[in-house]
Amino acid sequence: MTPAGSLLTAHGLHKTYGATKALNGAEFSVHPGEVVAVMGPSGSGKSTLLHCLAGIVTPDEGDITYSGQNLATLSDAARSALRRSDFGFVFQFGQLVPELTCLENVALPLRLNGARRKAAEATARAWMERLEVDDLTGQRPGEVSGGQGQRVAVARALATSPRVLFADEPTGALDSLNGERVMEMLTEAARSTHAAVVLVTHEARVAAYSDREIIVRDGRSRDMERIA
Ligand SMILES: Nc1ncnc2c1ncn2[C@@H]1O[C@H](COP(=O)(O)OP(=O)(O)OP(=O)(O)O)[C@@H](O)[C@H]1O
């Protein structure tokens, strides 16, 4: 069953690694423009859920539906193409290419999608302005701070106008001030482009930027409507 108006849903997901049951009947849904935080203790299955939703990991059982398509029915090539065209990703660290400048990093997914260099760099520059890191266009990732690097990564993830932004502990390596700055900018930018956000975090302070929280425990998920 797909909840009405949902963009991405998962039903009855199971995933086992050897003797470890990472997912044990997890459910999920997100609407366009909605920010959903996936919370829960370490090892509870949060990242596995995100990887399944993004088509990176194939669940052993269960259905994932994105925009009316069952991900399991797509070929690997079609799933990769969907990830490039419709999904954006922000991870905890290590996602920027160290040899490229920040501008080239932000322009990279646009270039991979076939945009010409000038057009890609103009879009990249606009996103860097939005994330207030446009003074770093010529720097390499090793020359910027952790918070600046994460804002560059958010600019890169949003530059292709994804319909779903997957963020796995995007502030995990930052101090609280920088973490809040990244979260404010990430959620504001995603809401203004009507992108859905799947945000994995174990920090309540970070989850507070979401519209809804899902708690994962022992591979099962539970919806927690926030009353606020
Ligand atoms: N590729 C893998 N190979 C083997 N076991 C894995 C793999 N990925 C995850 N697991 C196991 O599955 C369980 C769930 O892992 P997962 O990374 O989804 O949890 P998590 O909630 O994201 O944890 P954390 O908050 O610590 O990042 C853990 O016991 C983990 O060790």
Side-chain angles (χ1 to χ4, degrees):
M1 192 182 76
T2 301
S6 290
L7 178 62
L8 177 64
T9 62
H11 177 59
L13 293 189
H14 289 258
K15 180 72 187 175
T16 301
Y17 291 109
T20 306
K21 230 179 179 338
L23 291 179
N24 189 17
E27 307 281 322
F28 182 85
S29 74
V30 65
H31 286 70
E34 188 184 28
V35 180
V36 174
V38 179
M39 298 196 67
S42 182
S44 58
K46 303 183 293 297
S47 295
T48 305
L49 175 61
L50 182 144
H51 292 148
C52 286
L53 292 169
I56 296 168
V57 163
T58 306
D60 301 329
E61 259 182 67
D63 293 316
I64 299 167
T65 308
Y66 168 70
S67 199
Q69 304 174 82
N70 184 338
L71 285 195
T73 62
L74 300 179
S75 64
D76 285 349
R79 260 199 305 273
S80 298
L82 180 70
R83 273 200 300 275
R84 272 207 313 275
S85 62
D86 286 33
F87 297 167
F89 295 90
V90 181
F91 298 110
Q92 187 168 343
F93 41 54
Q95 57 209 303
L96 298 173
V97 182
E99 294 80 10
L100 300 181
T101 65
C102 288
L103 182 69
E104 288 165 345
N105 263 285
V106 178
L108 185 62
L110 295 159
R111 298 277 288 145
L112 292 174
N113 282 351
R116 302 185 77 105
R117 179 197 283 267
K118 260 197 162 162
E121 292 195 348
T123 304
R125 204 176 288 276
W127 274 101
M128 288 183 75
E129 276 169 26
R130 199 151 168 180
L131 274 294
E132 296 176 14
V133 283
D134 48 313
D135 52 332
L136 304 174
T137 50
Q139 313 280 100
R140 287 178 210 284
E143 299 165 343
V144 306
S145 74
Q148 289 168 333
Q150 279 309 73
R151 282 187 277 141
V152 172
V154 172
R156 185 173 74 170
L158 290 169
T160 52
S161 303
R163 294 184 67 199
V164 186
L165 177 66
F166 293 95
D168 196 349
E169 302 281 6
T171 64
L174 304 180
D175 61 49
S176 58
L177 208 65
N178 273 303
E180 287 187 16
R181 191 115 194 272
V182 165
M183 283 313 302
E184 267 166 28
M185 290 182 167
L186 185 155
T187 48
E188 191 278 320
R191 286 196 173 103
S192 70
T193 56
H194 222 55
V197 178
V198 182
L199 167 68
V200 167
T201 182
H202 60 268
E203 291 183 75
R205 196 165 44 78
V206 173
Y209 286 88
S210 70
D211 301 309
R212 189 158 54 88
E213 291 173 18
I214 285 178
I215 310 292
V216 181
R217 238 179 254 286
D218 299 329
R220 287 177 184 274
S221 49
R222 194 156 55 92
D223 224 317
M224 304 278 289
E225 293 282 354
R226 181 157 343 97
I227 309 153

